[in-house]
Amino acid sequence: MQIDTSGDRPIFLQIADQIEDAVFTGVFPEGQQVPSTTEISAQWQINPHTVLKGMNLLVEQEILFKKRGLGMFVKEGACARIRAKRQQSFFDRYVASLVAEAKKLDLTREQVVALIERGYTDDRDTDTGAD
């Protein structure tokens, strides 16, 4: 985890984002316990209430669940929920604005698809070192 205490983004949101990312990438598999608020707060010298606020956000989003007396665990289906949330965010941030700009440029759907396909082809060429 990396916490930016001097940035504009609230610390509890940074904690929630990083735990969510760890769940999504398999660091914390579904059903597994995540580090306690005490462990995280001690490691990063953050107020335990701030850590708990971030974890409770993930409970509300059904990413984590509490087992009384045992701690927080990754909820079954958490990865699917995260993927759906991120896909919607991707649409909202990139696709919707791409389509809006394409319409302003009078690009057809086919032209936009061709541009996206070109982007994938260019990425592969860059990855392989080909020009």
Side-chain angles (χ1 to χ4, degrees), residues 99-115:
V99 170
E101 185 65 19
K103 287 178 179 180
K104 289 178 192 174
L105 296 170
D106 291 324
L107 292 171
T108 66
R109 177 188 305 236
E110 293 76 19
Q111 289 171 318
V112 172
V113 169
L115 288 170

Side-chain angles (χ1 to χ4, degrees), residues 1-3 5 18 39-47 51:
M1 278 179 116
Q2 293 189 31
I3 305 297
T5 56
Q18 291 196 31
E39 290 172 315
I40 294 171
S41 64
Q43 181 178 3
W44 296 102
Q45 299 177 346
I46 299 169
N47 186 314
V51 176

Side-chain angles (χ1 to χ4, degrees), residues 10-13 15 46-55:
I11 293 172
F12 80 95
L13 290 176
I15 290 166
I46 299 169
N47 186 314
H49 294 291
T50 302
V51 176
L52 185 59
K53 188 173 180 179
M55 290 181 135

Side-chain angles (χ1 to χ4, degrees), residues 84-98:
K85 176 179 132 180
R86 289 184 177 195
Q87 287 174 347
Q88 184 61 49
S89 177
F90 178 80
F91 176 84
D92 293 343
R93 284 186 177 174
Y94 303 106
V95 177
S97 62
L98 173 115

